[in-house]
């Protein structure tokens, strides 16, 4: 599905140069569930932002499906991103002024879908994540766990093939964190590719493999024993 080849990201501010990613090579297949771990500041969010086409590398190549991402024009890039990639963040990133259903529907406005079908798809995905009874609530009226369910719904309502989750359970208690993990796992079982940054070893274990980053470099990759069948 995607491939990063000798990819580096250097942030240049006034006098400081920060190497956020240093010669990273990663390949991820369609249908995989991959977790990314590593200490704060090691480049995890930078990596996810580049994979999500929100940021571009300083050096190296990023291939998504059959595209060399650096060669895409702005419009193609944003179309490919919106059609294929859903994001889930630690802080949910919902729009405070919009209801649950409107937050989710927003992800469909960029697609060429009739209003009636939009409503149907939003209703179906709210059912799926168990938030239908809060459709007209505002985000501030929901618990963190409920807000993250809305964010998951928003990330998948457009049938995105890839979900990028940056510490999706970081602000949740363990029960709600586990709920979100089970939701991601079932989406993956239905075919969605998932790349998730986490600090929790037990949450990383939901993935097929874990990529460990340190100082912007991939240091180890572990295939989880329970998933060896997948690796074959
Ligand atoms: N926009 C930016 N400008 C300058 N430096 C940045 C920027 N974003 C991230 N960095 C630096 O790049 C490094 C990696 O950051 P980040 O990817 O956010 O790490 P992580 O998500 O693993 O905590 C850090 O040293 C951080 O300070
Ligand atoms: Mg981060």
């Amino acid at each position: 599905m995607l491939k990063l080849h000798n990819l580096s990201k250097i942030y240049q501010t006034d006098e400081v140069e920060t190497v956020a990613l240093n010669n990273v090579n990663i390949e991820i297949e369609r249908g995989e569930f991959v977790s990314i771990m590593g200490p704060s500041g090691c480049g995890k969010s930078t990596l996810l932002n580049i994979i999500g086409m929100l940021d571009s590398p300083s050096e190296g190549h990023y291939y998504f499906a059959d595209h060399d991402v650096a060669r895409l024009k702005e419009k193609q890039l944003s179309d490919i991103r919106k059609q294929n990639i859903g994001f889930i963040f630690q802080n949910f990133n919902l729009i405070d002024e919009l209801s649950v259903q409107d937050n989710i529907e927003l992800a469909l406005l960029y697609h060429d879908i009739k209003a009636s079908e939009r409503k149907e798809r939003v209703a179906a995905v709210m059912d799926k994540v168990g938030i239908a009874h809060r459709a007209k609530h505002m985000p501030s009226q929901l618990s963190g766990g409920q807000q993250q369910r809305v964010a998951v719904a928003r990330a998948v309502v457009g049938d995105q093939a890839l979900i990028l989750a940056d510490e999706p359970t970081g602000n949740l208690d363990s029960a709600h964190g586990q709920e979100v993990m089970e939701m991601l796992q079932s989406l993956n079982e239905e075919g969605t590719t998932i790349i998730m940054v986490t600090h929790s070893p037990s949450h990383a274990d939901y993935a097929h493999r874990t990529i460990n980053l340190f100082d912007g470099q991939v240091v180890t990759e572990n295939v989880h024993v329970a998933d060896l069948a997948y690796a074959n």
Side-chain angles (χ1 to χ4, degrees):
M1 167 172 250
L2 64 89
K3 184 176 177 178
L4 310 178
H5 182 68
N6 294 345
L7 188 137
S8 296
K9 176 69 180 181
I10 297 149
Y11 287 110
Q12 186 77 53
T13 49
D14 296 341
E15 280 138 38
V16 204
E17 190 175 87
T18 308
V19 181
L21 294 173
N22 184 0
N23 205 34
V24 167
N25 288 286
I26 292 174
E27 205 163 336
I28 293 174
E29 304 290 340
R30 203 167 277 278
E32 271 199 281
F33 188 163
V34 175
S35 57
I36 297 171
M37 299 190 82
S40 180
C42 73
K44 304 182 295 298
S45 295
T46 302
L47 179 64
L48 228 52
N49 288 342
I50 290 176
I51 293 174
M53 305 177 193
L54 299 173
D55 203 349
S56 48
S58 312
E59 284 168 42
H61 290 278
Y62 172 25
Y63 302 98
F64 182 86
D66 292 327
H67 306 285
D68 181 345
V69 173
R71 291 176 181 273
L72 296 173
K73 301 206 168 57
E74 198 57 43
K75 170 84 168 80
Q76 288 175 301
L77 192 73
S78 78
D79 285 350
I80 289 173
R81 181 174 63 229
K82 283 165 194 161
Q83 283 162 15
N84 291 281
I85 305 179
F87 294 89
I88 305 172
F89 300 95
Q90 180 173 4
N91 297 321
F92 323 127
N93 283 20
L94 301 174
I95 296 177
D96 293 338
E97 294 76 19
L98 294 181
S99 67
V100 164
Q101 61 186 21
D102 290 347
N103 261 283
I104 300 169
E105 189 177 349
L106 197 60
L108 288 178
L109 291 182
Y110 308 104
H111 297 248
D112 193 15
I113 301 173
K114 282 192 302 198
S116 57
E117 194 195 330
R118 280 207 306 270
K119 304 284 178 215
E120 278 168 29
R121 285 173 73 161
V122 170
V125 80
M126 285 194 300
D127 263 343
K128 187 168 170 174
V129 304
I131 201 75
H133 61 306
R134 295 286 181 268
K136 299 220 158 63
H137 280 56
M138 305 305 274
S140 62
Q141 299 170 313
L142 304 178
S143 71
Q146 290 172 325
Q147 289 186 55
Q148 198 60 304
R149 279 193 250 166
V150 177
V152 171
R154 181 186 56 185
V156 299
V157 70
D159 277 337
Q160 287 85 340
L162 173 64
I163 290 187
L164 303 177
D166 199 347
E167 302 190 39
T169 59
N171 281 351
L172 301 178
D173 61 43
S174 62
H176 288 115
Q178 194 180 332
E179 235 174 62
V180 166
M181 289 313 304
E182 284 166 7
M183 219 174 278
L184 292 178
Q185 186 169 47
S186 76
L187 286 168
N188 175 249
E189 283 163 2
E190 292 165 16
T192 306
T193 308
I194 298 179
I195 307 176
M196 174 188 72
V197 169
T198 184
H199 285 293
S200 159
S202 67
H203 290 174
D205 278 344
Y206 280 83
H208 302 126
R209 62 177 162 127
T210 299
I211 296 172
N212 292 290
L213 282 185
F214 190 78
D215 278 353
Q217 290 186 295
V218 175
V219 283
T220 51
E221 291 200 44
N222 313 316
V223 174
H224 299 165
V225 176
D227 296 306
L228 277 177
Y230 174 88
N232 289 326

